[in-house]
Amino acid sequence: MNFLNCGVNELTNTTEDESFYGQWPCYGEIDIMEVVGSDTSKAFGTVHYGSPHAESQGSILLGDNAFSDEFHLFSCEWEPGKLTKNTNMNFLWNQEIRRLC
C-alpha cells in the first residue's frame, strides 16, 4: 500500500519523555494530510490521542482527480482548545483539544 503522510507528533522516544507524556498515542499525533495509494482522490486529516487510543478524522474527496494531479494547500490552525484543518483554503474539520491522559 502506497501512501503520503505529513504529520506532526511530540517525538517522545526516551524513557524520561514517556514518563512525562505517556506512550503513544497519549502524547498525541497530528496527521495534517494523508493520501492512501488505493484512493488518491481522497485525503484525510487525523488526530490520534488518549489512552486507550482514540482518533478524530476528517476527509475530502476530489472526485475523478488525484491529489497528485495539481498543487494543493493543507493547513492546520492550532488555537487554544481547538485545532482546525483546511484544504485549499476550505474548511475540512476541527477538533476540540483537551487533556485526555
Side-chain angles (χ1 to χ4, degrees):
M1 180 183 304
N2 297 321
F3 66 93
L4 174 62
N5 177 314
C6 301
V8 177
N9 65 25
E10 289 288 330
L11 301 176
T12 56
N13 294 322
T14 67
T15 304
E16 183 178 311
D17 288 340
E18 282 189 356
S19 68
F20 182 79
Y21 293 108
Q23 292 184 326
W24 186 94
C26 194
Y27 58 80
E29 176 182 328
I30 301 168
D31 295 320
I32 298 168
M33 184 274 287
E34 296 177 287
V35 174
V36 179
S38 62
D39 186 0
T40 58
S41 66
K42 190 173 192 177
F44 299 92
T46 309
V47 175
H48 302 272
Y49 58 90
S51 181
H53 177 216
E55 65 182 49
S56 176
Q57 185 176 72
S59 64
I60 185 169
L61 184 63
L62 288 181
D64 294 334
N65 299 323
F67 272 93
S68 60
D69 290 343
E70 59 187 31
F71 181 81
H72 298 279
L73 178 65
F74 295 88
S75 66
C76 183
E77 299 175 29
W78 195 329
E79 302 174 65
K82 184 173 83 170
L83 183 68
T84 302
K85 294 186 182 183
N86 298 286
T87 303
N88 298 328
M89 304 306 287
N90 296 310
F91 172 77
L92 181 58
W93 64 278
N94 62 36
Q95 170 68 39
E96 176 187 339
I97 298 173
R98 62 192 193 288
R99 186 169 178 98
L100 297 170
C101 296

